[in-house]
Amino acid sequence: AQSVTQLGSHVSVSEGALVLLRCNYSSSVPPYLFWYVQYPNQGLQLLLKYTSAATLVKGINGFEAEFKKSETSFHLTKPSAHMSDAAEYFCAVSEGSASKIIFGSGTRLSIRP
Amino acid sequence: DARVTQTPRHKVTEMGQEVTMRCQPILGHNTVFWYRQTMMQGLELLAYFRNRAPLDDSGMPKDRFSAEMPDATLATLKIQPSEPRDSAVYFCASGPSRSGNTIYFGEGSWLTVV
């Protein structure tokens, strides 16, 4: 069964600093991988997804993630944090044709002025 | 602008009462998911449907929870009887059936059972 592990339930960075949110996955088949963002009192929105094309995936709001099969990782990065990036970020995995999508436990990103 | 619509947005109910949450998926999407979000457990998959048929409801407590899709435009999640531990945000999401396609979330139904 597929699963994802997000390392660090809370990450705090200064405005303008690099953002790195970690995600490792487990899957018995080549996975599809996603990052979603959740702002307070809202549903989840897709940031980016990997579907076996380019290993470096660019998403919205300047975020990108790199699929590394050897490390079973799909870490999310952004070169320069902005105050508006403060939110909860979820990594998710899907495999097979059943489209079941499993989410990690989430990482809350805080931005210091 | 296509979106997933959930009702009610907020619900406060007494323990033992029946609660029904409704979801209207995006037109044309044939896969529907129900998730529950709590501080302790995070985002849990309760059940999902494709073409109105349940594919997996193993994450759902069977004794009190039930999920159905009476038609392609409506998914329901029912809790009977409700308990305080059911207090959570319940999200519906829909998407196309192909694996790896994006799913789109509603804004959630905030349930408080007192």
Side-chain angles (χ1 to χ4, degrees):
Chain A
Q2 71 267 40
S3 66
V4 289
T5 301
Q6 292 184 240
L7 300 176
S9 59
H10 183 209
V11 170
S12 180
V13 302
S14 297
E15 190 174 18
L18 170 72
V19 175
L20 171 61
L21 304 183
R22 300 177 186 273
C23 172
N24 288 88
Y25 70 90
S26 173
S27 176
S28 57
V29 300
Y32 293 101
L33 295 160
F34 309 81
W35 276 99
Y36 279 79
V37 61
Q38 184 181 31
Y39 298 102
N41 302 323
Q42 294 186 23
L44 282 70
Q45 305 169 35
L46 181 73
L47 269 181
L48 50 81
K49 67 179 180 183
Y50 166 77
T51 57
S52 74
T55 57
L56 182 63
V57 182
K58 295 188 183 297
I60 61 172
N61 301 337
F63 284 93
E64 62 182 36
E66 186 173 8
F67 172 70
K68 292 187 176 180
K69 183 179 178 181
S70 61
E71 299 177 8
T72 61
S73 69
F74 190 58
H75 302 330
L76 182 71
T77 60
K78 181 174 179 177
S80 177
H82 191 273
M83 296 299 292
S84 61
D85 295 327
E88 186 103 20
Y89 292 80
F90 292 90
C91 183
V93 64
S94 171
E95 64 179 27
S97 60
S99 302
K100 184 174 177 177
I101 301 177
I102 301 299
F103 285 82
S105 55
T107 298
R108 183 164 60 91
L109 176 64
S110 299
I111 311 297
R112 300 188 299 270
Chain B
D1 188 24
R3 59 177 180 161
V4 176
T5 303
Q6 291 187 244
T7 57
R9 288 296 318 279
H10 300 272
K11 176 76 174 179
V12 180
T13 191
E14 292 184 346
M15 182 173 61
Q17 295 299 304
E18 177 178 299
V19 175
T20 298
M21 289 167 276
R22 294 177 174 82
C23 168
Q24 181 177 3
I26 293 173
L27 188 65
H29 285 183
N30 61 351
T31 306
V32 174
F33 299 76
W34 283 106
Y35 291 90
R36 176 172 64 183
Q37 186 176 34
T38 61
M39 290 290 292
M40 295 300 295
Q41 300 297 326
L43 204 59
E44 304 172 275
L45 177 64
L46 297 176
Y48 76 109
F49 295 76
R50 179 183 294 159
N51 296 325
R52 298 174 54 198
L55 291 188
D56 187 343
D57 61 1
S58 58
M60 198 165 65
K62 300 295 192 303
D63 56 339
R64 299 181 300 107
F65 284 62
S66 62
E68 296 178 342
M69 282 201 72
D71 61 59
T73 64
L74 177 64
T76 62
L77 180 66
K78 186 177 295 186
I79 308 174
Q80 168 63 21
S82 58
E83 299 181 1
R85 59 180 168 154
D86 301 329
S87 298
V89 185
Y90 291 82
F91 286 105
C92 176
S94 73
S97 62
R98 285 187 294 129
S99 179
N101 274 292
T102 305
I103 60 173
Y104 298 85
F105 281 76
E107 295 194 333
S109 291
W110 297 66
L111 175 65
T112 302
V113 183
V114 297

